[in-house]
Amino acid sequence: HMTMIGVFADDNLNGFGLPDDFQGGFQSAAAFHCSFTGLHGAGICRDSSIQGVGGSKAMKSPYEWMRDGQPSRQHLGYCDILGSGTIADCTAMNTIGNFNLFEVLASFPETTEIIFMNGIEFITNLPANVFSTNLKAPNNLRAIYMNQCNLQSVDALALAGLPNLEIFNIDENVNLDSIPGTLFANNPKLKQFSMFQSDITSVPVNLFSTTPDIERIVLYCRGDNRLASLPNGIFDGLKK
């Protein structure tokens, strides 16, 4: 069932970051999205849970997996690999950019399920098939975090070939002003999409038409760049 939808603008926030008329409408107002946790997940937000990462059956969010039970990190090229090879953490690695993103993705082990690429200012666009053509086992990928980067464009086929993707977070990419309507056409298992603090002014009516099981949607426009309304029918077909 749908547990969270937030659509709001900068000047309508209270201490929890929620509009007054949303109070009490969410399960946890104080931790409704990951941007409040910082780049490394301090405080652990209430993301959608993923089962089975690292061989455990416990339900945890990706940030919880990174926090708990990860006794060692293996540094591999530009990133750290942890969680029995299931998590690639490239947070704040500004030696990564458009020029070598393909190479970095290709270096991850085939067991990779979660990718953290938060805080990388030289990644400005996600081209078509960027993950599916470079990861060794794209079918294993379940979560992508690219918060606080410098994304300016995302190709309609950027997430193609990722049938098991559950979480796509691109919070605080302040120069990103649009999202393709067919972005999730190949991601039927998507549970969470967060685009907090962006310049987005409209959302395509068909954005969630292929993600019936989505649980959390956060759309937040900053400053004068207002997402004034959502198109009629944008949530048609979603499970209640």
Side-chain angles (χ1 to χ4, degrees):
H1 63 284
M2 182 73 69
T3 58
M4 181 187 304
I5 299 176
V7 183
F8 25 85
D10 245 350
D11 64 350
N12 197 24
L13 300 179
N14 55 30
F16 286 138
L18 292 171
D20 291 338
D21 58 352
F22 275 75
Q23 285 302 303
F26 297 146
Q27 291 179 341
S28 177
F32 78 102
H33 69 81
C34 274
S35 289
F36 288 149
T37 68
L39 290 179
H40 296 275
I44 306 302
C45 62
R46 291 180 178 269
D47 270 356
S48 290
S49 298
I50 287 181
Q51 182 174 349
V53 177
S56 170
K57 294 184 178 180
M59 297 293 287
K60 296 181 181 179
S61 78
Y63 273 111
E64 288 173 319
W65 286 112
M66 191 162 64
R67 178 196 67 183
D68 299 336
Q70 308 299 341
S72 64
R73 287 173 175 253
Q74 173 191 359
H75 192 69
L76 179 65
Y78 299 91
C79 307
D80 288 341
I81 306 299
L82 57 156
S84 302
T86 58
I87 301 172
D89 181 14
C90 311
T91 297
M93 272 292 171
N94 277 319
T95 50
I96 300 174
N98 297 338
F99 65 96
N100 64 350
L101 179 58
F102 294 179
E103 172 192 342
V104 172
L105 292 172
S107 73
F108 296 162
E110 61 182 287
T111 49
T112 302
E113 298 184 21
I114 299 169
I115 295 174
F116 289 99
M117 285 190 165
N118 298 329
I120 302 177
E121 62 180 305
F122 300 117
I123 298 178
T124 62
N125 66 80
L126 293 180
N129 303 295
V130 60
F131 297 99
S132 62
T133 59
N134 293 287
L135 291 172
K136 293 181 177 69
N139 285 1
N140 290 338
L141 192 62
R142 299 168 75 175
I144 300 170
Y145 288 82
M146 301 189 77
N147 302 331
Q148 295 173 294
C149 294
N150 190 27
L151 288 176
Q152 298 171 27
S153 65
V154 177
D155 191 272
L157 294 174
L159 304 180
L162 305 177
N164 295 308
L165 188 69
E166 297 181 27
I167 295 176
F168 184 56
N169 272 38
I170 49 173
D171 293 343
E172 297 184 85
N173 282 279
V174 298
N175 294 312
L176 187 60
D177 61 7
S178 65
I179 206 80
T182 56
L183 180 62
F184 303 128
N186 298 285
N187 316 119
K189 296 183 180 180
L190 195 73
K191 296 166 64 178
Q192 174 173 302
F193 172 56
S194 184
M195 192 175 178
F196 177 85
Q197 286 253 25
S198 71
D199 270 354
I200 193 167
T201 57
S202 64
V203 180
V205 66
N206 58 328
L207 184 59
F208 305 113
S209 62
T210 55
T211 59
D213 296 317
I214 198 162
E215 298 173 353
R216 289 175 170 84
I217 300 168
V218 178
L219 303 171
Y220 178 109
C221 56
R222 65 189 188 95
D224 293 329
N225 300 293
R226 302 302 171 84
L227 182 60
S229 63
L230 293 174
N232 291 333
I234 188 171
F235 300 126
D236 288 357
L238 300 187
K239 295 180 180 178
K240 306 300 182 185

